[in-house]
Amino acid sequence: MQPFPPPGETERTAPVINGLSVDVEDWFQVGAFENVIARSDWDTLKTRVEDNVFRILDLFAEADVKATFFTLGWVAKRHPAMMRRIADAGHEVASHGYDHARVFTFDRKAFAEDIRTARAVLEDSSGQHVTGYRAPSFSIDHRTPWAFAELAEQGYAYSSSVAPVVHDHYGWPAAPRFAFRPLASASLVELPVTTALFGGRRLAAGGGGFFRVLPYGFSRWAIRQVNRAEGRPAVFYFHPWEIDPAQPRVPGAPIRSRLRHYTGLARMAGKLTDLVHEFRWGRMDAVAAVEALRADELAAPQAIAAHEAAA
Ligand SMILES: [Zn+2]
């Protein structure tokens, strides 16, 4: 195999472009707190998302990287100027659904309505055409065989909604680790969040609590392994609240949720700075376009095809 990066190149100039994404939601909208904070209370809580997104825009500008902002329709409706600023900086605006309800809580009709409403707000506020979707809490899995068909029908080019791992809140361990076409009948591409192989097991390595809690060296190892040994792009995500150590603490949340949510916030911005400088990053729509060229490898795997047949 050709050494990677080739002589004279760094990871910043290497051929593989990794997908960088931000799931834009406020501190009170995360799945971990959904049983403690009612949706009907959201409008009474002090928003912090805008300040955090502006810090992220500064970080990306300083590192000269473009990324994708998967944004809740609820947030875009209340922060149109922020959406415009994201778009004006050359980043991609994509959908994270309307108000963070997980896909497996919908039937197909309700899901269709959710993504239609979210997209209309995102496009109005940003002036961009939205072609990408990320399910809240990576909630497309074996329970939602109709979700990809609905995304394709509404004209989405790609989704990044599957975590191909075992996890207590989400995950579809039978799904492929890299880009695949979930439907034989449509060009829609799914870009699963990155996993690394360690001792034959899949480890979540594309963001979330693991990135905040483990040393940065683990992420560096995982992304290098994916880029160099496997020759594929990594798909990484984080949230605006993760760079905000001063966010209000939510009383009454289970200890496990609190540990997961608040650990490592103070170190997060520094780790992200290292990450965006060390590797080559781009928008998710660009990664999807490159991955779509691997047509032969992308055919719906058997497990997924069986799913589609059941839909
Ligand atoms: Zn989310």
Side-chain angles (χ1 to χ4, degrees):
M1 185 180 287
Q2 193 185 341
F4 183 93
E9 287 189 337
T10 68
E11 252 129 1
R12 269 310 289 271
T13 60
V16 178
I17 302 175
N18 300 294
L20 182 59
S21 60
V22 186
D23 291 359
V24 181
E25 56 205 42
D26 222 320
W27 60 274
F28 46 81
Q29 296 174 312
V30 298
F33 298 144
E34 69 182 4
N35 294 324
V36 224
I37 301 175
R39 274 185 178 69
S40 51
D41 288 338
W42 283 1
D43 268 320
T44 68
L45 297 166
K46 189 160 168 31
T47 177
R48 302 177 69 87
V49 70
E50 208 165 277
D51 286 350
N52 292 327
V53 164
F54 291 160
R55 285 176 61 203
I56 292 166
L57 289 174
D58 288 347
L59 171 70
F60 289 173
E62 182 271 325
D64 193 24
V65 297
K66 302 294 182 225
T68 295
F69 288 71
F70 293 103
T71 306
L72 292 180
W74 194 97
V75 168
K77 192 172 173 185
R78 287 158 180 80
H79 302 278
M82 176 185 82
M83 299 313 296
R84 181 63 72 169
R85 209 156 133 183
I86 292 170
D88 287 349
H91 301 294
E92 178 191 8
V93 172
S95 174
H96 195 37
Y98 192 77
D99 65 358
H100 219 264
R102 296 171 202 201
V103 178
F104 54 71
T105 67
F106 293 127
D107 59 16
R108 178 167 177 171
K109 192 161 166 273
F111 176 64
E113 188 57 31
D114 181 89
I115 60 176
R116 196 176 290 121
T117 311
R119 188 189 214 165
V121 178
L122 292 164
E123 293 188 342
D124 280 355
S125 56
S126 70
Q128 252 187 39
H129 180 49
V130 167
T131 65
Y133 173 75
R134 169 165 291 148
S137 307
F138 298 101
S139 54
I140 289 184
D141 62 21
H142 64 280
R143 288 166 285 186
T144 58
W146 35 261
F148 288 126
E150 187 58 40
L151 287 165
E153 193 166 306
Q154 293 197 25
Y156 282 82
Y158 77 93
S159 155
S160 179
S161 303
V162 168
V165 286
V166 180
H167 185 279
D168 59 343
H169 285 181
Y170 53 74
W172 188 2
R177 290 179 53 231
F178 293 113
F180 64 95
R181 286 193 206 282
L183 306 167
S185 53
S187 59
L188 181 82
V189 174
E190 166 64 31
L191 300 171
V193 65
T194 289
T195 55
L197 287 181
F198 187 76
R201 291 187 54 191
R202 295 179 178 188
L203 303 179
F210 105 91
F211 183 78
R212 270 180 290 120
V213 174
L214 297 180
Y216 173 66
F218 173 75
S219 299
R220 175 194 287 136
W221 166 81
I223 296 172
R224 273 190 189 161
Q225 191 207 31
V226 165
N227 286 173
R228 293 186 190 190
E230 305 191 86
R232 301 301 290 268
V235 170
F236 186 89
Y237 76 100
F238 67 99
H239 305 89
W241 56 263
E242 289 185 277
I243 59 158
D244 184 8
Q247 67 190 279
R249 296 314 192 244
V250 176
I255 180 82
R256 193 176 174 156
S257 303
R258 276 184 285 145
L259 275 177
R260 181 176 292 171
H261 191 81
Y262 298 125
T263 302
L265 296 177
R267 291 187 304 275
M268 184 69 178
K271 283 178 172 175
L272 281 173
T273 304
D274 289 345
L275 184 79
V276 295
H277 280 95
E278 180 152 10
F279 293 94
R280 190 170 176 200
W281 297 102
R283 293 163 44 140
M284 295 287 290
D285 56 353
V287 175
V290 170
E291 290 288 278
L293 298 176
R294 298 172 170 262
D296 294 346
E297 297 168 39
L298 295 187
Q302 232 168 6
I304 311 291
H307 240 262
E308 188 188 359

